[in-house]
Amino acid sequence: MIARFFSYILGAIVLNIVVVLALVLLLDLPPPGNGRAKGAQPYLLELLKKAHDEGTDVTTLQPVAIPGDPSVAFVVRQVAAQSEACSANQTIAVQADGDCLVIDMIAPTPRLFARIESVILPLAIGILVSILAAILLAKRFLQPVQVIADGLDELAAGRFDQRVSGRLTRSDRSFRKLGALVDEASGRLQRLNRDRERLFHDISHEIRSPLARLQVALGIVRRSPARIDGLLPQLEADIERMDRLIDEILMLARIDGSSHQPMDFGPIDLLDILDPIIADANFEGAERSVTCRYEGIDGIHIDGSAELIYRALENVIRNAMRHTDESTEVVVAGSEEGGTYSITVRDHGPGAAEDDLIHLTEPFYRANSDTRSGAGLGLAIALHATHLHHGSISISNEPHGGLCVCLTLPRRPAD
């Protein structure tokens, strides 16, 4: 690439040289000596006119040579009145018979080399300087391009840990900016690749456990068919767990895909979404004497996706119902401030370690002390759904125990 760029610059230089030489030849520029001779011709003409007027026979004068170019000389000759020279700016006098005395320059026909002799040295210097400039320009402009191209080749080969900005510190600002963008893309691809590998690992781990229990149960049933009734609850629970896991994985993938395309939002009331979720939570929590209730403002109207908001709130409330202590209450509170709504869910469970709080929204993450957690996708789904509405989610421990999850949603998502 550098050689090609250099050849373009050098080709342009050679073309300019050819044009200069062509102009020298086509314009018939005189060699340096002839130029000096022509410059002296008007001065000699005036001297000869003055001598002729004083009565001197100028035709008897010897040819006048030009210092510095002895091959060029001036002579006086008589020409007919019809001659072209008689009307040119070289006439000394017109005689009585109409003929003219003219001054004429005698010079040998210039050779080709003599015609371009005056431009050879400047052209040679120009060629050397131009070649040096072409080399420097090619190196300066194409070296960073080559660095960026090598970085893109590394990306295409799957080596996402390579960075190019460190090799572009002395390049132009535009190249440094382009290198920073390439590094940013490399970092994102590296994170996506790492998250994908972890996701595959976590999915396989989550599916392997219920599948292993199902295989064990089937083996027991084959040996002792009479035990099928005792194993059915466990089989149903494992099948339900796998079904819920697959549903959450598909929902997470759908939400993640929606972040790269426009969403079709419409007006919704969050209370209409919360009512059935709270009713289901009370039904499911009756076995542990756990209740759920709403408190706060009436009517929370936003523009958004009802399905995504439903899944976000359902996962947060289900998570609270699962972790709160027996015979306690989960409180869902709604508030509004400056056109932004907040839905806060508080439970009375053990909370989470401070080091775990920032990781609870990561897919498949479960705190070490958590023995009642699901697949670890609920809060991740809530986070992605909230972000699609240009909102946020925060998680903190309550001062007197329990976990507090707050979803903040704007009335209308920003364009």
Side-chain angles (χ1 to χ4, degrees):
M1 179 182 293
I2 294 179
R4 189 183 302 119
F5 187 71
F6 172 78
S7 65
Y8 291 156
I9 298 177
L10 188 59
I13 295 170
V14 171
L15 181 61
N16 288 332
I17 294 173
V18 171
V19 171
V20 171
L21 293 177
L23 290 175
V24 171
L25 297 176
L26 292 177
L27 296 178
D28 195 20
L29 298 178
N34 288 6
R36 291 192 295 269
K38 286 189 175 182
Q41 180 174 337
Y43 176 71
L44 290 174
L45 181 61
E46 291 297 324
L47 291 178
L48 291 173
K49 284 182 178 181
K50 185 176 180 181
H52 181 272
D53 293 341
E54 294 176 351
T56 304
D57 186 4
V58 295
T59 58
T60 61
L61 296 177
Q62 295 294 323
V64 180
I66 300 299
D69 192 357
S71 63
V72 179
F74 287 98
V75 297
V76 178
R77 61 189 180 91
Q78 183 175 337
V79 297
Q82 297 79 12
S83 174
E84 180 180 353
C86 193
S87 59
N89 295 327
Q90 58 191 76
T91 302
I92 300 173
V94 179
Q95 297 181 329
D97 57 1
D99 291 343
C100 299
L101 293 176
V102 298
I103 183 172
D104 200 5
M105 183 177 70
I106 300 175
T109 303
R111 295 174 291 109
L112 177 63
F113 179 79
R115 298 173 66 182
I116 64 173
E117 181 181 5
S118 60
V119 296
I120 287 180
L121 181 59
L123 285 178
I125 296 175
I127 290 174
L128 294 177
V129 173
S130 300
I131 291 176
L132 179 61
I135 295 174
L136 294 178
L137 286 174
K139 183 177 180 180
R140 177 171 180 81
F141 288 105
L142 288 186
Q143 190 264 346
V145 174
Q146 188 63 48
V147 170
I148 294 173
D150 292 341
L152 293 176
D153 287 340
E154 296 289 339
L155 283 183
R159 293 184 284 272
F160 304 129
D161 58 338
Q162 301 297 318
R163 300 294 182 267
V164 299
S165 294
R167 290 177 283 170
L168 297 173
T169 54
R170 301 180 63 181
S171 301
D172 292 340
R173 183 174 61 180
S174 57
F175 286 119
R176 295 199 303 270
K177 182 178 180 180
L178 183 58
L181 293 175
V182 172
D183 286 350
E184 182 180 354
S186 301
R188 289 184 178 182
L189 289 174
Q190 186 177 19
R191 290 191 296 272
L192 288 174
N193 186 62
R194 184 175 59 247
D195 293 343
R196 183 192 62 177
E197 293 177 353
R198 189 184 67 182
L199 181 64
F200 288 159
H201 174 270
D202 292 338
I203 289 176
S204 62
H205 175 75
E206 292 294 332
I207 293 179
R208 187 182 297 114
S209 298
L211 282 178
R213 289 192 293 269
L214 287 173
Q215 290 175 342
V216 171
L218 288 175
I220 294 174
V221 171
R222 287 193 183 98
R223 291 193 300 270
S224 304
R227 300 181 58 183
I228 184 64
D229 292 336
L231 294 175
L232 280 178
Q234 181 62 44
L235 293 175
E236 291 175 348
D238 286 337
I239 292 174
E240 181 181 357
R241 176 182 175 85
M242 291 181 62
D243 181 69
R244 186 169 60 252
L245 173 62
I246 293 173
D247 181 63
E248 290 181 343
I249 291 174
L250 292 176
M251 174 56 66
L252 186 62
R254 178 183 173 187
I255 294 175
D256 187 58
S258 299
S259 62
H260 304 293
Q261 56 188 0
M263 296 292 296
D264 186 16
F265 288 163
I268 56 176
D269 187 349
L270 294 187
L271 295 186
D272 292 340
I273 296 177
L274 282 171
D275 286 344
I277 296 176
I278 291 176
D280 291 342
N282 282 316
F283 177 78
E284 295 174 2
E287 183 178 352
R288 299 176 56 238
S289 300
V290 174
T291 60
C292 181
R293 67 178 176 87
Y294 172 81
E295 64 180 23
I297 61 176
D298 295 329
I300 304 179
H301 301 279
I302 69 170
D303 286 343
S305 169
E307 181 183 4
L308 294 182
I309 293 296
Y310 179 91
R311 295 303 296 264
L313 293 174
E314 180 190 36
N315 278 294
V316 173
I317 294 175
R318 278 181 174 272
N319 188 72
M321 294 291 292
R322 184 184 302 115
H323 291 87
T324 194
D325 295 337
E326 292 187 5
S327 303
T328 58
E329 182 180 54
V330 173
V331 178
V332 181
S335 60
E336 186 267 340
E337 181 179 357
T340 300
Y341 294 103
S342 296
I343 303 295
T344 304
V345 180
R346 296 182 176 88
D347 62 45
H348 292 83
E354 292 297 326
D355 293 339
D356 291 330
L357 290 177
I358 60 175
H359 300 291
L360 292 179
T361 54
E362 297 177 3
F364 296 103
Y365 185 85
R366 286 175 292 189
N368 294 331
S369 59
D370 191 357
T371 59
R372 292 175 289 182
S373 178
L377 290 174
L379 291 179
I381 292 174
L383 175 67
H384 282 70
T386 304
H387 282 175
L388 284 178
H389 290 78
H390 301 274
S392 61
I393 184 170
S394 61
I395 305 175
S396 60
N397 286 312
E398 288 285 274
H400 303 292
L403 200 67
C404 175
V405 180
C406 180
L407 283 71
T408 303
L409 298 167
R411 182 172 298 173
R412 289 183 177 82
D415 295 332

